[in-house]
Amino acid sequence: MAYIQRGLENKLMALSKEYACILLTGPRQVGKTTVLRTLMTDSRKYVTLDDLEERGLAKRDPAMFLQMHPAPLMIDEVQYAPELFTYIKIEIDKGAAPGSYWLTGSQAFSVMELAQESLAGRTAVLHMTSLSQHEIFGSGDCPPFTLELTTLKVRETTHQPAGIKEIYERIWNGSMPGLISGKFTDRDVFYSSYLQTYIDRDVKEQVQLSDPLLFRDFVRATACRAGQMLNLHDIAGDVGVSDDTAKRWLQVLEKSDIIFLLRPYSNNLLKRTVKTPKLYFFDTGLVAYLTRYSSPEILANGAINGAILENFVAAELLKSYHNNGKECLLWYYRDRSSNEIDLVIESDGLLHPLEIKRSVNPGSELTGVFGLLDKASIPRGKGAILCMRSTLSAVDSENFIVPIWMI
């Protein structure tokens, strides 16, 4: 089983020289524990709160737990003992050295929100998702995706080119480290087990499930709408639950980083924009599994080929920022006349419009919709058509043509 180097490694080690505590968040099985254990030295002790005895001590007597396990220390699954956070804060305030505590836990669950409140100003919070295509296929360091020519040139040399066939293989295979590294070889068994573990260990802690299979059906109904505007009522109707139940369950999916919602861009000068978010999954392999596409070839010619390609692009853009420890201000634009820009990145006081096309040679007229942003209060910057072209090109001085493999 090969270890896959993660984009966050340099940022994590740099921050460990400045902050006494590092909190690495993210969904299950994306490699949080693996990357930290790979980076830790022999002097750092590892403790997992999956161990019920360790968890019990951490909850009953957190002060004794930290005495038994002195810094430098890595605590895995820290969400199981929120009582530790106050005592870690005390140790930091007493002068704990930089890098004393490395913590991992599930993103955005209430206990992690509590951790961030308790350790505010004392900890660096980093977020890890499933693998990016650069981590799987690329080489070297890679900056966040921007439309600066110098950055695009870097990505052109550090990413591995891919045509339509290879892109849909990447989409179908997904981005979970367990599969990509070769630790698990049966994709269907992996995703089935992943869902079962997720429901048993995470979902049941958040909502009372009388029928776990019903929640699994909900996740499948949600996957069928990846890359589309969210319609909770339709999802609820497909599964046979109330709209309120569907809303609660969707919040669980979002909080546990199975999905993310992309909000529409609007401001007081763009009053006719819609308010409904679009729905995406971080791992397109899970979408392909849930929607029962048995091969990349069938997926590439299936009904969702455009929607899942858009999902893939949006997820890769976010990952490029997460892997550099940065926030990505990503939106989409749609007005009430159904005029739409697939994605909009806000960066350095400019709005950068992006259109996603499955075509190898998209027409230059596609950039015409970018003018929809001219009425915004923030100036429009360079735009791009993201497509299946093999090389970096340009429509004109203000609009690039960027291969999807470069994202």
Side-chain angles (χ1 to χ4, degrees):
M1 183 181 69
Y3 174 73
I4 300 173
Q5 186 173 0
R6 303 306 298 264
L8 264 177
E9 291 182 16
N10 290 340
K11 175 63 71 172
L12 195 152
M13 295 306 295
L15 291 174
S16 288
K17 297 177 181 179
E18 301 176 7
Y19 289 84
C21 183
I22 302 293
L23 173 61
L24 184 59
T25 66
R28 291 191 178 277
Q29 297 187 38
V30 297
K32 301 185 300 295
T33 302
T34 300
V35 70
L36 289 181
R37 296 203 72 173
T38 299
L39 295 175
M40 61 188 273
T41 61
D42 292 340
S43 63
R44 186 179 301 274
K45 184 172 182 179
Y46 169 79
V47 181
T48 176
L49 297 189
D50 276 332
D51 184 318
L52 295 182
E53 289 189 7
E54 296 287 7
R55 187 190 304 182
L57 176 60
K59 292 180 71 64
R60 288 191 309 271
D61 194 340
M64 177 58 70
F65 177 90
L66 292 179
Q67 289 180 34
M68 294 290 294
H69 305 299
L73 175 65
M74 174 182 168
I75 306 175
D76 207 4
E77 305 291 358
V78 71
Q79 71 270 11
Y80 290 129
E83 295 84 358
L84 283 171
F85 300 142
T86 297
Y87 289 84
I88 291 175
K89 173 186 174 183
I90 291 172
E91 292 301 314
I92 294 173
D93 290 346
K94 286 163 58 177
S100 291
Y101 299 100
W102 286 1
L103 314 177
T104 76
S106 299
Q107 165 74 359
F109 279 94
S110 57
V111 66
M112 299 312 300
E113 294 168 357
L114 175 61
Q116 293 180 40
E117 290 174 6
S118 301
L119 299 172
R122 298 171 177 83
T123 186
V125 181
L126 295 173
H127 182 57
M128 178 177 284
T129 64
S130 54
L131 293 162
S132 68
Q133 60 175 347
H134 176 262
E135 289 173 314
I136 300 171
F137 302 105
S139 61
D141 295 334
C142 184
F145 180 88
T146 70
L147 292 182
E148 293 294 330
L149 184 57
T150 53
T151 302
L152 292 174
K153 288 293 186 180
V154 169
R155 304 183 78 84
E156 192 172 28
T157 60
T158 59
H159 286 55
Q160 184 182 98
I164 293 179
K165 180 178 182 292
E166 290 80 15
I167 290 294
Y168 276 95
E169 286 176 352
R170 296 179 183 186
I171 292 171
W172 187 85
N173 287 329
S175 52
M176 297 300 288
L179 283 173
I180 301 301
S181 67
K183 180 179 181 180
F184 304 104
T185 57
D186 191 315
R187 174 180 170 277
D188 289 350
V189 170
F190 173 85
Y191 278 120
S192 177
S193 302
Y194 179 82
L195 281 172
Q196 189 61 50
T197 302
Y198 166 64
I199 292 171
D200 288 344
R201 299 187 65 180
D202 289 341
V203 177
K204 287 183 178 179
E205 292 181 5
Q206 302 300 305
V207 294
Q208 293 182 345
L209 286 180
S210 58
D211 184 0
L213 291 178
L214 199 61
F215 188 87
R216 192 182 182 112
D217 290 342
F218 174 79
V219 182
R220 177 171 286 110
T222 304
C224 290
R225 292 165 173 82
Q228 301 177 27
M229 293 178 66
L230 176 64
N231 189 324
L232 263 178
H233 181 73
D234 282 357
I235 296 175
D238 285 354
V239 182
V241 298
S242 68
D243 288 5
D244 285 343
T245 296
K247 183 178 181 180
R248 289 197 302 272
W249 287 1
L250 192 80
Q251 289 171 342
V252 171
L253 290 179
E254 186 178 16
K255 287 180 178 180
S256 50
D257 283 329
I258 299 297
I259 68 166
F260 61 96
L261 298 178
L262 207 61
R263 269 69 185 183
Y265 180 81
S266 65
N267 59 34
N268 58 354
L269 299 179
L270 297 170
K271 296 179 179 179
R272 298 185 66 252
T273 53
V274 299
K275 306 298 181 184
T276 307
K278 295 181 79 170
L279 170 71
Y280 299 95
F281 278 65
F282 274 108
D283 178 35
T284 53
L286 179 59
V287 176
Y289 167 76
L290 287 167
T291 51
R292 297 186 173 92
Y293 281 92
S294 59
S295 73
E297 294 77 19
I298 295 174
L299 176 62
N301 294 290
I304 68 168
N305 65 46
I308 202 168
L309 178 64
E310 181 177 318
N311 190 141
F312 178 74
V313 169
E316 288 296 320
L317 286 172
L318 285 182
K319 290 174 185 179
S320 80
Y321 280 79
H322 288 319
N323 289 343
N324 285 275
K326 296 182 181 296
E327 181 183 7
C328 181
L329 298 178
L330 187 63
W331 325 83
Y332 81 100
Y333 176 88
R334 184 183 177 92
D335 64 24
R336 294 174 188 172
S337 299
S338 298
N339 298 305
E340 183 170 343
I341 301 173
D342 291 333
L343 297 171
V344 178
I345 292 182
E346 184 177 344
S347 176
D348 294 327
L350 296 172
L351 297 177
H352 301 280
L354 307 172
E355 276 292 295
I356 304 165
K357 295 301 173 185
R358 193 169 180 265
S359 171
V360 175
N361 294 301
S364 59
E365 71 279 359
L366 294 172
T367 61
V369 295
F370 295 169
L372 294 169
L373 296 177
D374 289 343
K375 294 181 180 179
S377 57
I378 298 177
R380 173 161 64 101
K382 293 185 183 297
I385 301 172
L386 309 177
C387 64
M388 296 296 187
R389 191 180 181 92
S390 60
T391 57
L392 178 65
S393 184
V395 175
D396 52 41
S397 61
E398 294 300 316
N399 297 288
F400 292 104
I401 299 176
V402 180
I404 287 173
W405 59 261
M406 283 177 54
I407 300 173

